[in-house]
Amino acid sequence: RYALKLGFKGELVFAPRDVVDKEFFDDDNPQEVLKKYNLTNKKVILTVARLTKEKNIEMGIKAMKYLPGDYVYLIIGEGQEEKNLKTLAKTLDVKDRIIFVGFVEHRELWKSYKLADVFWLLSESNFEGIPNVVLEAWFAKVPIIVSKIEALSSIVEDNKTGTVLKTWDVKELAEKTVELLNNKKLYKLLQENGWKKVNEIIKRHVDVKEFFK
């Protein structure tokens, strides 16, 4: 839909990625990460992204101000905004509940997905395509909350395969997160539907080289 809105006149081929490194999923034990960051008995929110303006991680940091004290925000990735984001966390007095992990080898990411209670993708830019992290979260059965940009709302069905925010209000993000984690029926529904969705998508995966035969 986004391509057509931009006036694209050519043929559109949907060739989604497979889930990268999924063969390592069963091997990765989250206990190492759990102990390293003292996450036992915590509600873990996870974001895996470049630390850039477009990824809008500052929205998540601001939302932590409105979340209970046992909620922890685990941010995996590196980028030019890291210093600014750490400063923001300190200014808002939530730095003790935000963990900047930095770069993690891709196959090691499953450890963090397995201990996460919810996944946030709060991007402001429509140039997301189908983000790997959405597929990974679905594969790991971690319910997702995404921003309202069309690139995400066109693949994530609100209250079916995830939660789609209606505004850029950090209080809405906090409220939706608490609501999701307290609603066992909705939580299980998003887990199950996300798992089904990612498996439907990867069945349609086509290697790029196939187009040139």
Side-chain angles (χ1 to χ4, degrees), residues 73-88:
Y73 190 17
L74 196 68
I75 302 171
I76 297 179
E78 55 188 3
Q80 60 195 33
E81 283 297 302
E82 182 174 348
K83 183 178 179 180
N84 292 335
L85 293 172
K86 287 182 175 178
T87 299
L88 177 63

Side-chain angles (χ1 to χ4, degrees), residues 23-90:
E23 64 271 23
F24 298 113
F25 181 80
D26 291 333
D27 297 332
D28 279 350
N29 189 328
Q31 291 303 312
E32 176 187 336
V33 179
L34 200 70
K35 291 177 181 178
K36 182 176 182 179
Y37 298 110
N38 192 26
L39 298 174
T40 303
N41 298 322
K42 304 291 185 182
K43 300 292 188 184
V44 180
I45 302 164
L46 176 65
T47 287
V48 180
R50 299 184 307 277
L51 306 189
T52 60
K53 281 284 187 183
E54 311 86 67
K55 294 298 182 181
N56 195 27
I57 294 170
E58 66 179 75
M59 182 180 181
I61 292 175
K62 290 176 181 177
M64 291 299 293
K65 191 77 176 174
Y66 301 97
L67 287 169
D70 60 338
Y71 282 59
V72 175
Y73 190 17
L74 196 68
I75 302 171
I76 297 179
E78 55 188 3
Q80 60 195 33
E81 283 297 302
E82 182 174 348
K83 183 178 179 180
N84 292 335
L85 293 172
K86 287 182 175 178
T87 299
L88 177 63
K90 184 177 181 180

Side-chain angles (χ1 to χ4, degrees), residues 141-158:
K141 294 187 177 180
V142 183
I144 62 176
I145 296 178
V146 301
S147 59
K148 63 176 186 171
I149 61 171
E150 191 169 16
L152 296 177
S153 63
S154 63
I155 62 168
V156 179
E157 294 181 81
D158 190 34

Side-chain angles (χ1 to χ4, degrees), residues 11 21 40 56 67 96 163 184:
E11 182 181 0
D21 290 332
T40 303
N56 195 27
L67 287 169
D96 292 338
T163 296
K184 293 182 179 179

